[in-house]
Amino acid sequence: MGSDSTIKTMDERPIGVFDSGIGGLTVLKELALQFPQENFLYLGDTARLPYGSKSPQTIRKYCEQNIEHLKNQNVKAIIIACNSASAQFSEIQYAGLPIYNVIKPGSQRALEVTQNLRIGILGTRATIQSQAYTNTIQALNPNAQIFNQECPLFVPLAEEGWDNDPITNLIVFRYLSRLLEKNIDTLVMGCTHYPILKNSIARSTGSSVELVDSGEAIAAWLQEDFISQRLSPRVSETPRNIEIRTTDFSEHFSQLAVRILNPVRASSFGVVDI
Amino acid sequence: MGSDSTIKTMDERPIGVFDSGIGGLTVLKELALQFPQENFLYLGDTARLPYGSKSPQTIRKYCEQNIEHLKNQNVKAIIIACNSASAQFSEIQYAGLPIYNVIKPGSQRALEVTQNLRIGILGTRATIQSQAYTNTIQALNPNAQIFNQECPLFVPLAEEGWDNDPITNLIVFRYLSRLLEKNIDTLVMGCTHYPILKNSIARSTGSSVELVDSGEAIAAWLQEDFISQRLSPRVSETPRNIEIRTTDFSEHFSQLAVRILNPVRASSFGVVDI
């Protein structure tokens, strides 16, 4: 065993992804499109959502429990696809597994695309008040100017399924108008739900503002780690598997999950108690 | 002691009111206006909101803890000013105290005002799916026809402070249009947040539909219980006290609380750990 280098660098195990609910599915979708060979196991902690209003200690505890569950399912890496959780869990290695959060890749991507160093951040009240993006971006480049905007209605609009909707366009425009006056050229969608509303957001910003999507940013990081062999890819002729688990059953969640993931298709849906 | 009947039927203790967050303040406001002599103690369990997405067992446990906290503060009665909690806690007497929930008074009031027995119910997804209003109203009058509408955006709109707002008017009209086609003549605002949006709701319904407000309905029940002496009133020359406590601090909550209660003024705001 181990004499064939092709076998040595292959890893059939799924990549674990977790979020408090459905928002992380936008990240899963990007990863599934980018890495069509990889297996994925998604955990949506719907019984305990939202994380945003919980204390840092509680969020941290939930993260550890989610990681423990995914580790027991034999994943090879874990993506924390939730901004509130990412703000409390910055380790890049934990319980023997590579860990990825959404804030660092999104922050780095924002600095890569900005030309005028004026960056807008959209987020939930909890994420904006944590200053996680401001601190992370300014640690990388102290000259960056950050303009924050809380968008408390975006998550319920996304969960209601009102994307590509005139009412959503009006609400997006109202939230964004103050940021756009600041002459930003880059806008971070700092909540994994927000890419569901990407069309409406792009309609307000126009083409002069670059949108940063956490899912795309993390996919680029994973790609680098596959190249550097921090992660080993799955290489197989058999179809890959995308398994979705939630901690509470909801018919509404399942229907919405199918819409968000489209054109990616989940292999199975299930409920777990963690 | 006890020989003077005026003293015997007086009770200085506050009336306790609890909710998972700020919605119950609409109930507190109605009660405070209706009973200007009474002291009130409001508990908003903001650290654990929302209740709507929790399991019945968990909601029940939180209710018991909230009641225990209020009982230790020596209240004379407890109002459960939250529909999700009311659906799980139907006792009228508990831990030696009179308990009031919002569903029964709202249901009874709806039957008092309807002429055609066609009643609409607005609520959160959890409240509508629990069928609490449908079951309660039809137990009182099996001929009543109930038309339910989930309004998941109403709570975030109310919490964002977008009452009397053209965007809110559009959203209200969209949710209500299906109900209005059913020829209802009565509409229950089945979530204690919704009276914050009452102006927008009334604009959609017009004057041919009667709106039922939980706070007003409970105030009428309390009035009856003061008359029947199930409850004893406070009679005093000194100003009454309205104390508001939450389980998590939030500047946003305090500001919103002042707006919702207006013209009623709280005597104090505080944070408690329960």
Side-chain angles (χ1 to χ4, degrees), chain A residues 47 49-50 53-54 125 150 152-153 156-157 159-160 162 165-167 170-171 174-175 248 252, chain B residues 47 49-50 53-54 125 150 152-153 156-157 159-160 162 165-167 170-171 174-175 248 252:
Chain A
L49 68 78
S53 57
K54 308 281 192 301
R125 185 162 288 132
E150 302 175 356
L153 282 165
L157 283 169
E159 296 202 335
E160 188 66 330
W162 290 9
D165 185 291
I167 286 178
L170 282 172
I171 293 173
R174 183 179 291 181
Y175 281 133
D248 199 9
H252 181 74
Chain B
L49 67 79
S53 58
K54 307 282 193 301
R125 185 162 288 132
E150 300 174 357
L153 283 165
L157 284 169
E159 296 201 335
E160 188 66 330
W162 289 10
D165 186 292
I167 287 178
L170 283 172
I171 293 173
R174 183 179 292 183
Y175 281 134
D248 200 10
H252 181 74

Side-chain angles (χ1 to χ4, degrees), chain A residues 193-206:
Chain A
H193 276 84
Y194 294 0
I196 300 169
L197 308 179
K198 193 171 189 171
N199 288 347
S200 289
I201 294 171
R203 182 189 284 254
S204 273
T205 59

Side-chain angles (χ1 to χ4, degrees), chain A residues 56-103:
Chain A
Q57 294 78 3
T58 300
I59 295 173
R60 171 105 197 158
K61 185 178 74 181
Y62 291 174
C63 285
E64 289 170 358
Q65 291 171 347
N66 293 338
I67 290 171
E68 185 68 21
H69 175 81
L70 290 170
K71 190 185 178 193
N72 289 340
Q73 305 301 308
N74 201 27
V75 299
K76 65 182 169 190
I78 288 177
I79 319 285
I80 304 178
C82 168
N83 282 271
S84 304
S86 292
Q88 304 307 329
F89 210 100
S90 57
E91 283 91 333
I92 60 168
Q93 187 85 17
Y94 181 83
L97 287 170
I99 309 281
Y100 299 82
N101 76 52
V102 283
I103 290 171

Side-chain angles (χ1 to χ4, degrees), chain B residues 80-176:
Chain B
I80 305 179
C82 167
N83 282 270
S84 304
S86 292
Q88 303 308 329
F89 210 99
S90 56
E91 284 91 334
I92 59 168
Q93 186 84 16
Y94 182 84
L97 287 170
I99 309 281
Y100 299 82
N101 76 53
V102 283
I103 290 172
K104 284 182 202 167
S107 298
Q108 189 171 308
R109 170 66 71 98
L111 285 169
E112 284 163 10
V113 299
T114 184
Q115 310 242 320
N116 67 4
L117 285 176
R118 299 174 73 85
I119 299 169
I121 311 289
L122 305 178
T124 62
R125 185 162 288 132
T127 297
I128 295 302
Q129 289 181 359
S130 77
Q131 296 275 314
Y133 279 99
T134 303
N135 295 339
T136 304
I137 293 173
Q138 290 187 334
L140 292 167
N141 186 336
N143 294 322
Q145 284 188 272
I146 311 299
F147 304 93
N148 287 287
Q149 177 63 47
E150 300 174 357
C151 307
L153 283 165
F154 280 9
V155 169
L157 284 169
E159 296 201 335
E160 188 66 330
W162 289 10
D163 43 299
N164 294 316
D165 186 292
I167 287 178
T168 300
N169 293 343
L170 283 172
I171 293 173
V172 169
F173 183 73
R174 183 179 292 183
Y175 281 134
L176 265 60

Side-chain angles (χ1 to χ4, degrees), chain A residues 10-226:
Chain A
M10 266 180 50
D11 193 337
E12 294 273 338
R13 294 177 297 167
I15 296 170
V17 180
F18 78 83
D19 177 33
S20 59
I22 63 160
L25 291 171
T26 65
V27 174
L28 175 64
K29 175 183 171 178
E30 287 300 327
L31 295 173
L33 289 171
Q34 188 85 5
F35 307 107
Q37 288 277 339
E38 294 297 326
N39 292 320
F40 291 94
L41 172 55
Y42 182 89
L43 176 63
D45 191 9
T46 49
R48 302 191 290 197
L49 68 78
Y51 283 6
S53 57
K54 308 281 192 301
S55 70
Q57 294 78 3
T58 300
I59 295 173
R60 171 105 197 158
K61 185 178 74 181
Y62 291 174
C63 285
E64 289 170 358
Q65 291 171 347
N66 293 338
I67 290 171
E68 185 68 21
H69 175 81
L70 290 170
K71 190 185 178 193
N72 289 340
Q73 305 301 308
N74 201 27
V75 299
K76 65 182 169 190
I78 288 177
I79 319 285
I80 304 178
C82 168
N83 282 271
S84 304
S86 292
Q88 304 307 329
F89 210 100
S90 57
E91 283 91 333
I92 60 168
Q93 187 85 17
Y94 181 83
L97 287 170
I99 309 281
Y100 299 82
N101 76 52
V102 283
I103 290 171
K104 284 182 201 165
S107 298
Q108 190 171 308
R109 169 67 69 97
L111 284 169
E112 283 163 11
V113 299
T114 184
Q115 310 242 319
N116 68 4
L117 286 176
R118 299 174 72 86
I119 298 169
I121 311 290
L122 306 179
T124 62
R125 185 162 288 132
T127 296
I128 295 302
Q129 289 181 357
S130 78
Q131 296 273 317
Y133 278 99
T134 302
N135 295 339
T136 305
I137 293 173
Q138 291 188 332
L140 293 166
N141 186 334
N143 294 322
Q145 284 186 273
I146 311 300
F147 303 94
N148 286 288
Q149 178 64 47
E150 302 175 356
C151 308
L153 282 165
F154 280 8
V155 169
L157 283 169
E159 296 202 335
E160 188 66 330
W162 290 9
D163 44 298
N164 294 315
D165 185 291
I167 286 178
T168 301
N169 293 343
L170 282 172
I171 293 173
V172 169
F173 183 74
R174 183 179 291 181
Y175 281 133
L176 264 61
S177 55
R178 278 195 299 167
L179 284 187
L180 295 173
E181 285 168 8
K182 302 294 184 184
N183 195 29
I184 59 168
D185 73 349
T186 302
L187 183 58
V188 178
M189 295 185 284
C191 169
T192 53
H193 276 84
Y194 294 0
I196 300 169
L197 308 179
K198 193 171 189 171
N199 288 347
S200 289
I201 294 171
R203 182 189 284 254
S204 273
T205 59
S207 58
S208 60
V209 175
E210 190 86 21
L211 296 183
V212 174
D213 177 323
S214 306
E216 291 172 7
I218 284 191
W221 273 39
L222 278 187
Q223 185 61 45
E224 284 178 23
D225 282 359
F226 278 125

